[in-house]
Every structure is written in structure tokens, then in C-alpha cells.
Amino acid sequence: MTDQSKPEPGKGLPEAPPGVRDPWKGLRGIMAGTLVLEFIAFLLALPVVWKSNSGVSSTGFGIVIALAVLMLVAGFVQRRPWGLGVALALQVVAIVCFLVHPAIGIMGLVFALVWGYILYLRREVARRMREGQLYDQLGHPLGYPPEQTD
């Protein structure tokens, strides 16, 4: 009998044991929320760079709008195994948008730092799950969770 929270080496992220809240669900929510915030931030930045002295071309404007829409769509696919890869690829594109306008590229760098921290958190959650140190894995006081009475 094998412990589900300790996968074989190289088999991916550990799974939450039965009866324990899934920490990956919360982390996926954070990733989806970050992508939605990026969508909003990139769209709000467009009028600012459009009116700035250097401005942005209509092609650049279209590229940034397309990137923002892709970020919104990527927020809805974070539960898929490939969702994180899509989000990270969009971060690279956001940094490359430095060619469109430096302010857009700097925003891409700032959000790339946020994603770096999210990846750090992901690694820490996996480590703690493997070691059985997550709060839900440490056990609960008697009577938790409360029984449902109908």
C-alpha cells in the first residue's frame, strides 16, 4: 500500500490524501486570479501609453489587446495540466512587449516576478505535502469536521 501524498520520484506533484482539502485548488485559484489582474492591468495601461509622447502603434495596440484577452482565457484553464505552461508562456510574451512600449514590457517584468513567487509557493506546497507538514495533514481536534445532522 502506497501513500498518495508521496509519489514516486519524477511522477509529478503529490496528491492530497483523502479527507484533506486540496491545496492545489487554492493555488490554481491564485494563478487564475493573477491572470485576471494582468488582463485588467494591461487593458488599463493601453490608454496611458496611447496618450504618452512616444505612443504606441495601432499594431502594438492590437498585440497588447490580444495578449490581454489571452490572459483572461488562460485564467479559465488553470485547472488543466497545461494551464501553468500557458500562463508562463504569456509572461514571456508580456516581457517581449517591451518592443511595443517600454511601459508594457516593465509591467510584464513586474508580473513575471509575481509568477516567480507563485512558482516558489507551488514548490513549497509540494515539499510540505511530501513531508506531511501541511496544516490539514497534521490532524484536527476531535469533532472536526463537524458532523452534518439533518
Side-chain angles (χ1 to χ4, degrees), residues 84-106:
L84 178 62
V86 169
L88 296 177
L90 289 173
Q91 300 318 301
V92 172
V93 173
I95 294 170
V96 172
C97 279
F98 196 92
L99 301 172
V100 172
H101 194 279
I104 302 293
I106 290 170

Side-chain angles (χ1 to χ4, degrees), residues 28 31 35 70 73-90 115 122:
R28 287 190 304 266
M31 293 188 296
L35 285 164
L70 287 174
V73 171
F76 289 100
V77 297
Q78 288 307 299
R79 69 175 55 104
R80 307 275 189 230
W82 43 268
L84 178 62
V86 169
L88 296 177
L90 289 173
W115 279 94
R122 182 175 181 258

